[in-house]
Structure formats: structure tokens, C-alpha cells
Amino acid sequence: NAGVTQTPKFQVLKTGQSMTLQCAQDMNHEYMSWYRQDPGMGLRLIHYSVGAGITDQGEVPNGYNVSRSTTEDFPLRLLSAAPSQTSVYFCASSYRLGVFSPLHFGNGTRLTVT
Amino acid sequence: GENVEQHPSTLSVQEGDSAVIKCTYSDSASNYFPWYKQELGKRPQLIIDIRSNVGEKKDQRIAVTLNKTAKHFSLHITETQPEDSAVYFCAASGTGEDNYGQNFVFGPGTRLSVLP
């Protein structure tokens, strides 16, 4: 199993550009999520999905969209990039919430918005 | 919603000494508490977890204790080694009121430095 795969690893955007961060898992996990990690702020939840066709907002959803058309894929879209979105983004999946199943993280995407 | 606090934010210990990191949570419905280790430039990786029906769990040099009444849990690392240097995150999750469970809420992290 590859686990959780994120692409790209690095990205530089100009303010106002849009892009999609890709995330795929091959563990048949129901739950998938996106976090951003900023210095001193820990991991903050952006959006999450408890199954195909179901998505919801986390703590910091503004400026981001998600969709979950398949169990395996959970892309994160930046609609109009802003310097405040400079961060490291992690995709994470779990078998299911509420059943003592831990999160498995991808390797992260380091995004810089200039 | 759930709030997780973590202390200390930085911790330096001599190689061979023990390290203790403490977390508190606010939601009594939380019942699952994983700990993650994140090395510089890498992803967070699970090192140990504990369920609310267990008071202590050990895995070699790592142990976690849970006090449900006080709503706090701690990570204990014994005989620390330089490769233990990393940022450690605690987290809380739970069954929740609906069918989907509670999202994971993370503490802000502790930067552990093990000095040779």
C-alpha cells in the first residue's frame, strides 16, 4: 500500500492564481481531511469528508473548496491564492471517525504565495 | 467544541533522561487520544494512542497515561536518545453525537530537543 499520496510536494503561486492539491489514499478509508500547518499554530482542519459525496467545513475553510467523488480521492482547491495561504498542507485519512482509528498523513505540500 | 492544550511548548533534556509532555482537553465526550511525532520537514506519524477505557499504555520507551476525571493525558519518553528530537503533537477525538464521530483536534505541539 502506498498509504496517503499528496502532490505536488512544492508549489509557488502568485496572488490570485488558483490551483488544486491532490490527495489519494489506497487504504479504503472512509474519512479524509485537509490540514494546514503554520509555525506555532499546530495543525488546523480546513475541510473533511466522512465518505464519498459528503464534505464539510473545518476550522479554517475560507478560500478553499473540496469535493469527494470517489472514496480514494480528496482534492483541495485554492480559488484565488492569497499570501495568507502560504503554509504546509497535509492530507490525512482514517478508517472512520469515532472508532479509535488514527489519522494517516501524506507527506505534505509546501505552498508559497507571493 | 473540543480544545486541546499542550505543555511545554519546548523541552530540552539530556540524552538518557526522561521527557514528559502534558495535554488537557475540554470535551468529556472525547475518548481517543493519539500522539504524533513530526521530524523536521516530514509528516506527522503516530507513535502511540490510548482509549478512554484504559489508564496507561506502554510501547518500549514510550508510555501514555490518561486521567479522564481531570481531562488530561501525558506522553512519557524514557532513556531519551538524539533521534527522539522532534515536534510532538497530542490529539483528541471521540464518538460524537451523530453517526460520524468527532474530528481530531490537535494540541499546538512540543519541540523536544535531546542533547548528547
Side-chain angles (χ1 to χ4, degrees):
Chain A
N1 286 351
V4 180
T5 303
Q6 278 184 247
T7 56
K9 291 184 179 179
F10 301 94
Q11 184 70 49
V12 178
L13 292 178
K14 295 185 187 299
T15 298
Q17 288 184 318
S18 62
M19 77 159 295
T20 299
L21 279 63
Q22 301 292 345
C23 176
Q25 53 89 12
D26 61 359
M27 299 174 282
N28 202 30
H29 284 174
E30 292 183 359
Y31 177 83
M32 296 187 74
S33 56
W34 278 100
Y35 288 85
R36 62 177 287 171
Q37 184 174 36
D38 302 293
M41 302 290 288
L43 292 153
R44 293 185 293 169
L45 183 64
I46 304 171
H47 284 285
Y48 66 97
S49 168
V50 296
I54 305 171
T55 63
D56 207 344
Q57 297 180 351
E59 179 185 357
V60 287
N62 292 343
Y64 309 94
N65 272 356
V66 292
S67 60
R68 184 95 179 271
S69 56
T70 66
T71 300
E72 295 77 20
D73 299 298
F74 191 47
L76 177 73
R77 297 183 186 85
L78 279 70
L79 309 173
S80 177
S84 61
Q85 293 179 305
T86 294
S87 187
V88 179
Y89 292 84
F90 287 100
C91 180
S93 72
S94 174
Y95 172 66
R96 187 183 296 166
L97 284 183
V99 294
F100 313 115
S101 175
L103 284 174
H104 299 259
F105 286 86
N107 286 326
T109 297
R110 185 174 295 275
L111 175 68
T112 302
V113 182
T114 61
Chain B
E2 176 65 277
N3 181 54
V4 177
E5 297 184 352
Q6 183 172 348
H7 300 280
S9 57
T10 60
L11 178 61
S12 293
V13 299
Q14 290 295 134
E15 183 177 358
D17 287 349
S18 295
V20 180
I21 302 170
K22 299 181 179 180
C23 288
T24 60
Y25 61 99
S26 60
D27 190 344
S28 57
S30 291
N31 60 5
Y32 177 59
F33 308 95
W35 284 88
Y36 289 84
K37 175 183 180 182
Q38 186 179 29
E39 298 177 351
L40 189 63
K42 302 287 183 65
R43 61 183 172 178
Q45 292 197 291
L46 178 75
I47 55 171
I48 197 168
D49 57 7
I50 192 167
R51 303 182 183 189
S52 60
N53 60 346
V54 175
E56 183 176 6
K57 183 177 179 180
K58 290 183 179 179
D59 183 3
Q60 299 183 337
R61 296 187 296 108
I62 293 173
V64 57
T65 59
L66 171 66
N67 183 326
K68 282 194 301 182
T69 302
K71 296 200 189 79
H72 66 71
F73 56 112
S74 299
L75 178 71
H76 304 254
I77 306 174
T78 59
E79 301 173 16
T80 54
Q81 302 167 2
E83 51 265 38
D84 294 329
S85 296
V87 178
Y88 292 81
F89 293 97
C90 61
S93 179
T95 306
E97 297 178 349
D98 56 22
N99 292 329
Y100 297 124
Q102 295 177 339
N103 280 297
F104 289 84
V105 177
F106 286 83
T110 295
R111 182 174 300 277
L112 173 65
S113 298
V114 180
L115 308 174

